[in-house]
Amino acid sequence: MRPFLALVLRCLDGATQALNVIGSGLILLLMILVGVDVAGRNLAGAPVAGVPELVTLSIVAIVFLQIPQALRAGRLTRSDALQGWLEPRHPGLAKWIETVFDLVSMAVIWVIVSTTWPIFTRAWERGEFIGALGDFIAPTWPVKLTILIGGSMLILQFAARILRRWIPLSPAEARP
Amino acid sequence: MTPFEIGLIALAAMFLSVLAGLFVPIALMLCSFLGVWAIKGTPLLASKLMALAANDAISSYFFGVVPLFVLMGFIVAEAGLGRDAFDVANAMFRRLRGGLGVGTVGANAIFAAITGISIASAAVFTKIAVPQMIRHGYAPRFAVGVVAGSSVLGMMIPPSLLLILYGILTEQSIGDLFIAGIGPGLLLAVFFAGGIILMAIFTPGFVGRPEGAPAALPPRALLAKGLPIATLIALVLGGIYGGIFTPVEAGAVGSIGALLIGLALRRLTWAGLWRVLVETGLVTATVCFLIIAAQMYSRMLALSGVPAGLGAWAAGADLGFWGLMILYVLIVIALGMILDSSSIMLILVPLMLPVVVPMGVDLVWFGIVTVLAVEIGLLTPPFGISVYVIKATLDDPAITLADIFKGAAPFALIMLAVLALVIVFPMIAIGLVPGR
Amino acid sequence: ESYNVTVVAGHPPVFRWVRMISESFIPAAQAALEAEGHSITFSEQYGGALAGVGEELEAVEAGLAEMGTCQALFDPAKLAVQNVTYYTPFVSDDVRLIAETVNDLHRNHTEMNLAYAENGVFYLGAPIGIDDYALMTNFPVTSLDDLKGRKIAAPGAAINWLSGTGAVGVSGNLTTYYNELKAGVYDGVLVFASAALPGKLFEVAPYVTKMGLGAQYAGSICVNAEWFVGLPAEVQTALVAAADAAQVWYHDDLEAFVQIALTKMAEAGATITEASPEMRAAWAQGMDNAAKTWATELDAQGKPASLILGLYMDAMRAAGATPLRDWDKE
Ligand code: NA
Ligand code: NA
């Protein structure tokens, strides 16, 4: 059971990291895109169409692609005062509170993911776009898809926190 | 229960769940969901509000460039340009107590002329300034406090996203607002610097013990260390004010510039660049996820009518000009504890406008007062976005959220003092505006 | 019966189309319903408090608000055919006529209402007209040649209007025009007088050339369909009548202000000129027919854009407008 669990967690972390890489790549792409637009406008009198629209779309994708990794890396914002106080005194209680918090987090993100699903399918079926017809348009469904993927991954990472808390893996087993 | 009462309960619930250690964005989302459910009587509407906010809240050109500004700062730090700049500052201010703190404020004032958003200032200077200040012997708590405090300059000194928002809300000229922001912004910087020097002299326990006067740098070394960063600043400021690119585009151009300088100096490796990109992504995600959650919370509060009720009460109270201004500032600061800057402005400014206009209040001045008061909220718990940005960027468990809030507290007080000055002496703000 | 209605607008209350709701629509609706023995209270959520610009339709569809400003201009994917005026410049500078024409199209043609039905809302009325777009520049314009290589900012679909002028079309919006003009990022903008005065654009782009690019239609008040259908007939009628009253109020206020705006800008030193007929003709003739492309693309998606384009142009011509190009017939 434990080797299998370790494998599952490794796969999850790998997928989380893959999303992280895509998100970071998007940032690099944005930088280049804006740079080319500025250069094109000033040097060639030919701006790149749709840069503001692409920037507008990308930020949502960047956030949802990277937020699972942010949780995994312990970067999600929280106050650790109570936990810091509780942990050494009542470790069992601290563990239970943390678990409840993770379950609540999973539920909250589930609400967002499940309600985004119909928004995604509609954007896909109707070809919803951002921009102006005749100048530049980009479909919005890929961004909605990143909310679904990133949100689901975030739920799984919360679940992984619970597993790791109750079934400690040796460093060798947990190695990515 | 009336929606108003539900709103009040949601406020208390948010305080408690954040203190109990629930992740801040999750706490905000949970309170919004339960709040809207209670107000509208259906979980379906509550979940729709959450999904719409997740899809739309940060989906704008202005938010879209946040990662690019963060990236520029991180490249500057990775390429060692930040360290060099601080060596130069240290050499220049070496006879000054708290010299590096003053240097950080000064650097932030310059960076403020490039960025329109305080989040970027906070992220960038956490990366650049905090390690350098700690390296030179400052207390970590003080180092992060200086960065949190001076990050507010990003919104006071033009360009400023909040002043643009105020201009749209009130139909005031954004150009006038920008000019009016210069005086209070510089005054704030001067007061921050003065405060740092005073704290270094009188509360060395809080500031830490910076090493004794460092050796002066020979002019050659000064030039070698100062030139790269000066080039980058000249490129970005020159580009903005020379009409080559917009302040919104400055993050991308600055990143490219910093990248080229770093590569030319052979200080930047491709591996380092990738590390910086990943780090930029994590900070951006953390902060923007918070902002999405804050938007949900603020929409829930709007439906409850609590902020509108507060504003209407202030607007209706027959207090005269001074009473109204004091009450207004108090309400803004109170809301600043729990809401993000733009939400406060969206809710309160339209409510106050019909009240202050008949009083003959200068709306440009009123905008500066509003933005200053709103920006205090960046530093106050439990929802202080500058503090959260620093925490996310720092990635150091030894420095807690509470440490950063405590470190920032003196700077919030200094802001309050400057705010009082701007209220009493409007010329600080509107003195430079043509035609006033 | 007493009704509680949440009304949403992404713009703050300084905008005329938001004031139209508070100052005209709501009092009119309240008076009409009281006369029928009902009462109605409104919770007004403006300026992005509940939904941002272009997100109002989603909020109304979701039921977070019962009614709101459905901004076709800022939500062009969902209200595609409603943007017909932005693809047909040089048709008319009469904002009241354009608003009335678009309103009539909605009232008389089911094809015009398909987009609303698809999104779970219902077109109530109160069309938001935008006064005639002019060219504001930091250099004098006497002929089309003056525009060659100049960077001119325009919002959304209006960037298509710059095709063939020789100008470099840059996509921009009102919030940054002043500073970008001042810094020289743009040499000019396409903008309407009622926004140019409060934004003080005349300080940085003092040459106002009235090109007659045309007044426009930006959006309307829409209501949640499920909610509206459930209302008694007399309440529905009262709300529609209130929207009609708001339409009159809005365009009276707007037309008066456009005159004030032009006068004040001239007093402040702006040079306001009418473009010569030759220049207007040259501009119009040089343009791509973006309306045709737009209609073809939407037709392919099953949206009746060509039909609406024809209906709109016919109605405008019938009302006495003299378009410089017959966008529908080329
Ligand atoms: Na700034
Ligand atoms: Na706060």
Short mmCIF file of all heavy atoms in Angstrom, two decimals, chain C residues 215-238:
data_model
loop_
_atom_site.label_atom_id
_atom_site.label_comp_id
_atom_site.label_asym_id
_atom_site.label_seq_id
_atom_site.Cartn_x
_atom_site.Cartn_y
_atom_site.Cartn_z
N ALA C 215 -22.24 58.47 -34.32
CA ALA C 215 -22.69 58.13 -32.98
C ALA C 215 -22.86 56.61 -32.94
O ALA C 215 -22.93 55.96 -33.98
CB ALA C 215 -24.00 58.84 -32.67
N GLN C 216 -22.93 56.06 -31.72
CA GLN C 216 -22.92 54.61 -31.58
C GLN C 216 -23.93 54.13 -30.56
O GLN C 216 -24.46 54.92 -29.77
CB GLN C 216 -21.53 54.14 -31.14
CG GLN C 216 -20.40 54.59 -32.03
CD GLN C 216 -20.44 53.99 -33.41
OE1 GLN C 216 -20.95 52.88 -33.60
NE2 GLN C 216 -19.96 54.73 -34.40
N TYR C 217 -24.15 52.83 -30.59
CA TYR C 217 -24.98 52.16 -29.59
C TYR C 217 -24.08 51.26 -28.76
O TYR C 217 -23.32 50.46 -29.31
CB TYR C 217 -26.07 51.34 -30.27
CG TYR C 217 -26.70 50.30 -29.36
CD1 TYR C 217 -27.73 50.66 -28.49
CD2 TYR C 217 -26.26 48.97 -29.36
CE1 TYR C 217 -28.30 49.71 -27.65
CE2 TYR C 217 -26.83 48.03 -28.53
CZ TYR C 217 -27.84 48.41 -27.68
OH TYR C 217 -28.40 47.48 -26.84
N ALA C 218 -24.13 51.37 -27.41
CA ALA C 218 -23.20 50.61 -26.58
C ALA C 218 -23.86 49.50 -25.77
O ALA C 218 -23.21 48.50 -25.45
CB ALA C 218 -22.46 51.54 -25.62
N GLY C 219 -25.13 49.65 -25.41
CA GLY C 219 -25.76 48.63 -24.58
C GLY C 219 -27.14 49.07 -24.14
O GLY C 219 -27.63 50.11 -24.59
N SER C 220 -27.77 48.29 -23.27
CA SER C 220 -29.14 48.57 -22.83
C SER C 220 -29.32 48.03 -21.42
O SER C 220 -28.44 47.37 -20.88
CB SER C 220 -30.15 47.89 -23.74
OG SER C 220 -30.08 48.41 -25.04
N ILE C 221 -30.51 48.27 -20.88
CA ILE C 221 -30.87 47.60 -19.64
C ILE C 221 -31.47 46.25 -19.99
O ILE C 221 -32.35 46.16 -20.85
CB ILE C 221 -31.91 48.41 -18.83
CG1 ILE C 221 -31.29 49.74 -18.38
CG2 ILE C 221 -32.38 47.62 -17.61
CD1 ILE C 221 -32.23 50.60 -17.55
N CYS C 222 -30.95 45.19 -19.34
CA CYS C 222 -31.54 43.88 -19.54
C CYS C 222 -31.97 43.32 -18.19
O CYS C 222 -31.51 43.79 -17.15
CB CYS C 222 -30.57 42.94 -20.24
SG CYS C 222 -29.11 42.59 -19.26
N VAL C 223 -32.84 42.35 -18.21
CA VAL C 223 -33.36 41.77 -16.97
C VAL C 223 -33.23 40.24 -17.02
O VAL C 223 -33.20 39.66 -18.11
CB VAL C 223 -34.84 42.13 -16.75
CG1 VAL C 223 -34.98 43.59 -16.36
CG2 VAL C 223 -35.67 41.82 -17.98
N ASN C 224 -33.16 39.63 -15.88
CA ASN C 224 -33.12 38.18 -15.80
C ASN C 224 -34.42 37.62 -16.36
O ASN C 224 -35.51 37.98 -15.90
CB ASN C 224 -32.92 37.75 -14.34
CG ASN C 224 -32.86 36.24 -14.18
OD1 ASN C 224 -33.90 35.58 -14.24
ND2 ASN C 224 -31.68 35.72 -13.97
N ALA C 225 -34.32 36.75 -17.36
CA ALA C 225 -35.50 36.32 -18.10
C ALA C 225 -36.49 35.56 -17.22
O ALA C 225 -37.70 35.82 -17.24
CB ALA C 225 -35.08 35.46 -19.30
N GLU C 226 -35.95 34.64 -16.42
CA GLU C 226 -36.81 33.81 -15.58
C GLU C 226 -37.60 34.68 -14.60
O GLU C 226 -38.80 34.49 -14.40
CB GLU C 226 -35.92 32.84 -14.81
CG GLU C 226 -36.58 31.54 -14.45
CD GLU C 226 -35.63 30.68 -13.61
OE1 GLU C 226 -34.41 30.98 -13.59
OE2 GLU C 226 -36.09 29.74 -12.98
N TRP C 227 -36.90 35.65 -14.02
CA TRP C 227 -37.55 36.56 -13.07
C TRP C 227 -38.62 37.40 -13.77
O TRP C 227 -39.74 37.53 -13.28
CB TRP C 227 -36.48 37.46 -12.44
CG TRP C 227 -37.01 38.58 -11.61
CD1 TRP C 227 -37.51 38.48 -10.34
CD2 TRP C 227 -37.12 39.96 -11.97
NE1 TRP C 227 -37.90 39.72 -9.89
CE2 TRP C 227 -37.68 40.64 -10.87
CE3 TRP C 227 -36.79 40.69 -13.12
CZ2 TRP C 227 -37.91 42.02 -10.88
CZ3 TRP C 227 -37.02 42.06 -13.13
CH2 TRP C 227 -37.58 42.70 -12.03
N PHE C 228 -38.27 37.92 -14.95
CA PHE C 228 -39.17 38.84 -15.64
C PHE C 228 -40.44 38.13 -16.09
O PHE C 228 -41.54 38.67 -15.97
CB PHE C 228 -38.44 39.46 -16.84
CG PHE C 228 -39.17 40.62 -17.45
CD1 PHE C 228 -39.20 41.85 -16.82
CD2 PHE C 228 -39.82 40.48 -18.67
CE1 PHE C 228 -39.86 42.92 -17.38
CE2 PHE C 228 -40.49 41.55 -19.24
CZ PHE C 228 -40.51 42.77 -18.59
N VAL C 229 -40.26 36.91 -16.57
CA VAL C 229 -41.42 36.14 -17.06
C VAL C 229 -42.39 35.88 -15.90
O VAL C 229 -43.61 35.82 -16.11
CB VAL C 229 -40.94 34.83 -17.71
CG1 VAL C 229 -42.10 33.88 -17.93
CG2 VAL C 229 -40.25 35.12 -19.03
N GLY C 230 -41.86 35.76 -14.69
CA GLY C 230 -42.71 35.47 -13.55
C GLY C 230 -43.47 36.68 -13.02
O GLY C 230 -44.28 36.54 -12.10
N LEU C 231 -43.20 37.86 -13.57
CA LEU C 231 -43.86 39.06 -13.07
C LEU C 231 -45.25 39.22 -13.69
O LEU C 231 -45.47 38.80 -14.82
CB LEU C 231 -43.03 40.31 -13.42
CG LEU C 231 -41.66 40.43 -12.77
CD1 LEU C 231 -40.92 41.63 -13.34
CD2 LEU C 231 -41.78 40.55 -11.25
N PRO C 232 -46.20 39.83 -12.95
CA PRO C 232 -47.50 40.12 -13.54
C PRO C 232 -47.35 41.09 -14.72
O PRO C 232 -46.42 41.89 -14.76
CB PRO C 232 -48.27 40.81 -12.41
CG PRO C 232 -47.47 40.62 -11.16
CD PRO C 232 -46.08 40.28 -11.56
N ALA C 233 -48.30 41.00 -15.66
CA ALA C 233 -48.20 41.78 -16.90
C ALA C 233 -48.06 43.27 -16.62
O ALA C 233 -47.28 43.98 -17.28
CB ALA C 233 -49.42 41.51 -17.77
N GLU C 234 -48.82 43.79 -15.63
CA GLU C 234 -48.78 45.24 -15.43
C GLU C 234 -47.40 45.69 -14.89
O GLU C 234 -46.95 46.80 -15.16
CB GLU C 234 -49.91 45.71 -14.50
CG GLU C 234 -49.76 45.37 -13.03
CD GLU C 234 -50.35 44.00 -12.65
OE1 GLU C 234 -50.54 43.18 -13.58
OE2 GLU C 234 -50.59 43.76 -11.47
N VAL C 235 -46.72 44.78 -14.15
CA VAL C 235 -45.39 45.13 -13.66
C VAL C 235 -44.41 45.15 -14.83
O VAL C 235 -43.58 46.05 -14.96
CB VAL C 235 -44.93 44.13 -12.57
CG1 VAL C 235 -43.52 44.43 -12.11
CG2 VAL C 235 -45.89 44.17 -11.38
N GLN C 236 -44.52 44.14 -15.70
CA GLN C 236 -43.67 44.11 -16.89
C GLN C 236 -43.84 45.39 -17.71
O GLN C 236 -42.87 46.03 -18.12
CB GLN C 236 -44.01 42.89 -17.77
CG GLN C 236 -43.67 41.57 -17.10
CD GLN C 236 -44.06 40.38 -17.96
OE1 GLN C 236 -44.83 40.53 -18.92
NE2 GLN C 236 -43.54 39.22 -17.63
N THR C 237 -45.09 45.74 -17.96
CA THR C 237 -45.38 46.94 -18.74
C THR C 237 -44.78 48.17 -18.08
O THR C 237 -44.20 49.03 -18.75
CB THR C 237 -46.91 47.13 -18.87
OG1 THR C 237 -47.49 45.87 -19.18
CG2 THR C 237 -47.24 48.13 -19.95
N ALA C 238 -44.92 48.26 -16.75
CA ALA C 238 -44.40 49.43 -16.03
C ALA C 238 -42.88 49.52 -16.17
O ALA C 238 -42.33 50.61 -16.36
CB ALA C 238 -44.79 49.34 -14.56
#
